[in-house]
Amino acid sequence: MKKGLLLAGILAVITGTAANAQRVNYGLKATLLVSNIKGEGINPGSKPGFQGGAFFEFNLTKDKKWGIQPELLFTQTSAKKGNDFAQKYVTYHNTQGREKVKISAVTVPILVRYTPIPALTFNLGAQYSNLFFIDENLIKGNLDAFKKNDIGIVGGAQVNVANVRFIARYVKGVANINNIPAPQYNWKTNQFTLGIGIAFK
């Protein structure tokens, strides 16, 4: 509940600032997301997903070359249990556990933006994801196999055509999202997104 209120507060502040600032663009985006989770007991294959939400472009210089780009996104993705899951987590594995894991998250990237020419922008920064819904029963006792928080390093570029943004981005997870007590193997995410955004201002 507290995290939900915090995210709502962040969105309200950003939206209010965008409405009054002279050097701000804002809009909506939708992207195809391809992701995987690498770690012991997890299938490393890439899975398709979706990501969409609001973005804000704050220009820090008069020439609009440097700026900050925060976003508030909904992420829908999935993972799959590996064939070796029962061998890696002998004590904890649930023999009735489903193979596929569905994951929904609220994702907040905070990016530095550099626009050397109006048609091209590069992004670099970090993102936080709150995994608020994870449909899985991989381990016994209704315990969560996944942690609720993830952090990643973001790099990407976008092509700007008038108010349209064509976006390509890669995210490397740096946090361990494995919540199984022992043995404590690392599970880390990788994401690639490709999509489009529309700026309203």
Side-chain angles (χ1 to χ4, degrees):
M1 181 66 178
K2 290 182 179 179
K3 289 179 180 177
L5 291 174
L6 177 60
L7 290 171
I10 292 172
L11 179 60
V13 170
I14 292 173
T15 303
T17 303
N20 293 285
Q22 297 298 316
R23 298 181 180 177
V24 175
N25 295 323
Y26 54 91
L28 298 176
K29 59 178 286 190
T31 62
L32 170 67
L33 182 149
V34 179
S35 66
N36 66 17
I37 299 174
K38 292 186 177 180
E40 301 288 346
I42 292 293
N43 186 314
S46 296
K47 312 294 188 300
F50 167 82
Q51 192 174 74
F55 67 89
F56 304 85
E57 300 172 341
F58 293 81
N59 297 311
L60 299 179
T61 58
K62 290 183 179 181
D63 60 8
K64 299 183 179 180
K65 287 189 175 183
W66 290 97
I68 302 294
Q69 185 169 323
E71 300 177 355
L72 183 62
L73 308 172
F74 170 76
T75 300
Q76 181 75 63
T77 187
S78 62
K80 190 175 181 180
K81 181 172 67 173
N83 294 330
D84 60 345
F85 188 89
Q87 287 72 44
K88 297 298 181 180
Y89 306 97
V90 178
T91 303
Y92 294 95
H93 85 277
N94 177 9
T95 57
Q96 303 301 316
R98 293 183 291 275
E99 295 293 317
K100 189 174 182 180
V101 179
K102 297 179 180 179
I103 302 172
S104 298
V106 174
T107 302
V108 182
I110 304 294
L111 310 173
V112 175
R113 55 194 314 272
Y114 174 61
T115 306
I117 58 175
L120 182 64
T121 298
F122 296 102
N123 295 118
L124 183 66
Q127 76 174 27
Y128 164 78
S129 293
N130 175 239
L131 285 59
F132 67 86
F133 175 77
I134 308 175
D135 183 19
E136 56 92 2
N137 61 344
L138 297 179
I139 58 179
K140 299 175 182 178
N142 292 322
L143 299 175
D144 295 328
F146 291 79
K147 294 178 181 178
K148 297 297 184 182
N149 302 297
D150 191 18
I151 297 173
I153 302 300
V154 186
Q158 67 183 40
V159 175
N160 311 308
V161 181
N163 66 327
V164 180
R165 312 289 190 257
F166 298 97
I167 304 158
R169 191 175 294 173
Y170 174 71
V171 182
K172 175 68 175 178
V174 296
N176 178 21
I177 60 172
N178 184 349
N179 195 52
I180 304 175
Q184 182 64 72
Y185 297 116
N186 284 335
W187 291 355
K188 294 187 177 180
T189 58
N190 294 278
Q191 298 177 351
F192 176 76
T193 60
L194 190 65
I196 188 170
I198 303 293
F200 302 120
K201 180 181 177 182

